[in-house]
Amino acid sequence: MRVLPVREDCVLVELSDLGETLALFEALQDHPIAGIREIIPAARTLLIDFDPLEISAEALGSVVASYLGGESKASSGSLVEIPVHYDGEDLAEVAAILGVTSEEVIRLHGAAEYLVAFTGFAPGFAYLAGGDPRLAVPRRKSPRTHVPAGAVGLAGEFTGVYPKTSPGGWQLIGTTPLSMFDIDRDPAALLQPGSRVRFIDIGNARPYEIKAPKASVKTSQPPAAVEGAAGIEILSVGLPVLFQDLGRSGQANQGISRSGAADRGALKMANRLVGNPPNAAALEVTLGGLSFRMRGRGVLSLAGAPAPVSIASASGARLTAHHNHPVALDDGDVVTLGAPPAGMRSYLAMRGGFAVAPVLGSAATDTLAQIGPAPLAAGDHVAICDASVGSLVTMGELPSVSMPRAGEEVVLDVVMGPRTDWFTESAVESFLSQTWQVTAQSSRVGIRLAGEALERAITKELPSEATVHGAIQVPASGQPVLFLADHPLTGGYPVIANVAGHHLDLAGQIPVGARIRFNPTHRFVDRLIPGKQT
């Protein structure tokens, strides 16, 4: 067992194989350790998120090691049968790779009983282990940009079913009519860790219509303002305006990451200014462009990127509102947010909070997973809840971070690892010494960086493992991607470093055109840089 650093409150436990990983995961579930907040299993690893105030990383490693050596009981789960049309685009190619006929591939695939080992990549995407070892094939060299929902694929030792249309690099051998993820179902994911799975060939049965899972991002529309209640009427938007809170935790078993505000500190400040609980739903507005009319009276606050706020009253008077201060609004006031001179994302809260229905326990909109309330559009009416009795507004606060500007250099502290040793020593030095350009191909999922490509020392395929908000993953191109709030739960490329917790909010505000330089924390650098003394 190896315990690899991820961040000050997170470690990656590396084990020898999937069986040992699942056995340890089950043992830790059966014997909870005080301080552990979440455990995410993968092919050879467990990502353990913990509270360092309750348990240290060193003590955690010792306790975890004491549960090694057990056997997995996961194969006792319920059986799920999945009907399949074996008509995949790669079926003939897979047969050629293996030196058998397509019929033999179908026979081998349907003869095995599979185990849902872990979930990730996308909500409802399960990694199924236990198939015939003769079906182990590599991922496609060039991933497809469009894999249909219901596609059944092979990659290495695993079988999987794509729950929605998405990019993907697995070898496709068939399709199923079943919906693997449905937000209106409980649980939403058809396949849960520990379930057993069998594939049933329905090639000679009547045709099935393959339907994609419902676009769950649209299942929770903004509620219309009820008569007599305060609310806002959206007049125009620029980039998507999203509801966000502090995210949905505890959904890893369904392949769902936390999501939530890209700048959590700014969200909490906006709520604090108007007397809301820290986790109340607010609007995340990217680069301004939002305009709305107040219906009834309310109190507004804006934190994060300092978008200029203008207010036109029903009488025609025009006001300029102050950032990081509560602002009283009257019925008919029109509020317009301009483009901020620095930062990316502004957080707009209303006293009482927005009356938006949660999805899986959160009002956060996850743009990658397509889970959560729909983005706002012109014509939407959003109700505002009554404020809690005794809640107080704050008369103003100073921002916790200085907002970065395009063209500026931003320094982010990082914890090296867990896969720093997958890169050459010169690549690690280059990663830390050069400045990286923030490209336009950036979003809430991650910041794509451009610079001198990083060369790997280990070129084999990395078994899928969990990633965190702030992970800096390096794909085959050698150009890093810094994951933000809507990152995938698991990934198949090595993570060279992770942004330190105190700089995650800053990372969420870095605009396109800025430059980033990574500053390693001293705690882990010497332990992980190749060639250094440990």
Side-chain angles (χ1 to χ4, degrees):
M1 183 185 84
R2 298 172 66 202
V3 179
L4 306 174
V6 174
R7 205 162 40 228
E8 52 269 36
D9 60 352
C10 193
V11 295
L12 192 71
V13 178
E14 183 180 62
L15 298 144
S16 60
D17 55 35
L18 178 63
E20 189 175 83
T21 302
L22 294 179
L24 180 58
F25 177 57
E26 292 172 18
L28 294 176
Q29 287 185 309
D30 293 340
H31 304 88
I33 298 173
I36 290 182
R37 293 183 292 221
E38 189 169 33
I39 305 175
I40 303 176
R44 303 284 188 277
T45 59
L46 297 177
L47 183 80
I48 302 181
D49 178 82
F50 65 96
D51 184 349
L53 297 179
E54 288 196 54
I55 187 169
S56 68
E58 293 75 16
L60 178 64
S62 297
V63 177
V64 168
S66 69
Y67 289 106
L68 286 173
E71 293 187 2
S72 174
K73 305 183 293 295
S75 59
S76 60
S78 60
L79 178 66
V80 179
E81 291 187 342
I82 298 180
V84 180
H85 288 290
Y86 284 100
D87 55 1
E89 297 177 59
D90 302 320
L91 179 59
E93 185 176 342
V94 168
I97 292 172
L98 301 177
V100 299
T101 64
S102 296
E103 290 73 19
E104 180 67 3
V105 172
I106 296 170
R107 188 190 69 79
L108 292 174
H109 191 255
E113 183 173 284
Y114 299 82
L115 169 71
V116 179
F118 58 97
T119 55
F121 172 65
F125 190 97
Y127 290 77
L128 307 180
D132 194 300
R134 287 171 288 181
L135 291 180
V137 291
R139 288 179 171 88
R140 290 175 55 84
K141 292 182 179 179
S142 178
R144 290 185 172 89
T145 58
H146 180 95
V147 175
V152 179
L154 305 175
E157 63 185 298
F158 295 107
T159 285
V161 183
Y162 284 79
K164 63 174 184 175
T165 300
S166 66
W170 288 40
Q171 305 279 5
L172 306 183
I173 62 171
T175 52
T176 178
L178 294 186
S179 175
M180 308 308 293
F181 188 85
D182 186 342
I183 202 69
D184 296 321
R185 183 171 59 203
D186 186 20
L190 178 66
L191 301 180
Q192 298 288 310
S195 297
R196 295 175 296 129
V197 176
R198 292 193 71 92
F199 292 97
I200 308 299
D201 182 6
I202 55 172
N204 296 320
R206 65 180 179 82
Y208 284 78
E209 181 184 0
I210 308 298
K211 294 183 178 180
K214 295 179 181 179
S216 53
V217 72
K218 297 181 180 178
T219 61
S220 178
Q221 296 292 338
V226 297
E227 186 176 354
I232 63 173
E233 175 193 355
I234 305 301
L235 302 178
S236 63
V237 296
L239 293 174
V241 174
L242 307 175
F243 287 102
Q244 294 295 346
D245 54 21
L246 296 179
R248 50 182 64 81
S249 58
Q251 299 289 339
N253 64 323
Q254 301 202 74
I256 300 171
S257 61
R258 183 167 188 164
S259 186
D263 182 346
R264 294 163 62 85
L267 171 87
K268 289 189 280 189
M269 178 188 288
N271 277 319
R272 193 162 56 244
L273 287 166
V274 293
N276 291 343
N279 196 36
L283 299 182
E284 183 179 84
V285 184
T286 302
L287 298 179
L290 171 66
S291 180
F292 66 87
R293 180 178 285 109
M294 187 70 205
R295 297 300 189 187
R297 289 185 171 183
V299 180
L300 166 151
S301 66
L302 200 71
V309 184
S310 63
I311 302 172
S313 69
S315 64
R318 291 188 172 273
L319 303 171
T320 300
H322 293 290
H323 214 252
N324 302 327
H325 286 76
V327 180
L329 299 176
D330 287 327
D331 183 48
D333 284 352
V334 173
V335 179
T336 302
L337 273 63
M344 281 281 289
R345 298 172 174 92
S346 307
Y347 292 86
L348 189 154
M350 296 296 298
R351 179 167 172 78
F354 292 105
V356 58
V359 178
L360 295 178
S362 170
T365 298
D366 186 329
T367 59
L368 178 66
Q370 297 184 342
I371 294 173
L376 290 177
D380 285 343
H381 290 73
V382 186
I384 298 171
C385 302
D386 293 332
S388 301
V389 176
S391 62
L392 301 175
V393 299
T394 302
M395 294 315 295
E397 294 188 25
L398 294 175
S400 57
V401 297
S402 177
M403 291 291 148
R405 298 172 181 266
E408 289 184 346
E409 180 179 288
V410 182
V411 178
L412 294 178
D413 290 343
V414 295
V415 175
M416 302 304 294
R419 298 299 178 187
T420 313
D421 57 353
W422 278 54
F423 297 88
T424 64
E425 185 170 0
S426 61
V428 176
E429 291 174 354
S430 176
F431 170 73
L432 297 173
S433 62
Q434 68 174 298
T435 56
W436 297 90
Q437 191 75 22
V438 176
T439 72
Q441 289 72 46
S442 299
S443 65
R444 278 180 50 87
V445 176
I447 299 173
R448 292 188 177 272
L449 303 174
E452 182 183 339
L454 303 179
E455 182 183 1
R456 280 170 54 169
I458 300 175
T459 57
K460 66 181 181 180
E461 193 170 278
L462 176 70
S464 294
E465 58 191 28
T467 62
V468 298
H469 182 180
I472 303 168
Q473 190 183 75
V474 184
S477 66
Q479 302 295 325
V481 179
L482 195 170
F483 283 153
L484 294 181
D486 289 351
H487 66 90
L489 189 68
T490 61
Y493 295 114
V495 171
I496 192 171
N498 292 271
V499 175
H502 60 271
H503 273 171
L504 289 176
D505 289 345
L506 175 59
Q509 293 288 3
I510 299 176
V512 172
R515 303 184 307 277
I516 297 177
R517 184 168 59 83
F518 296 112
N519 174 54
T521 57
H522 297 295
R523 183 176 179 187
F524 295 121
V525 171
D526 288 343
R527 188 182 303 175
L528 289 174
I529 290 181
K532 295 282 187 178
Q533 184 88 19
T534 59

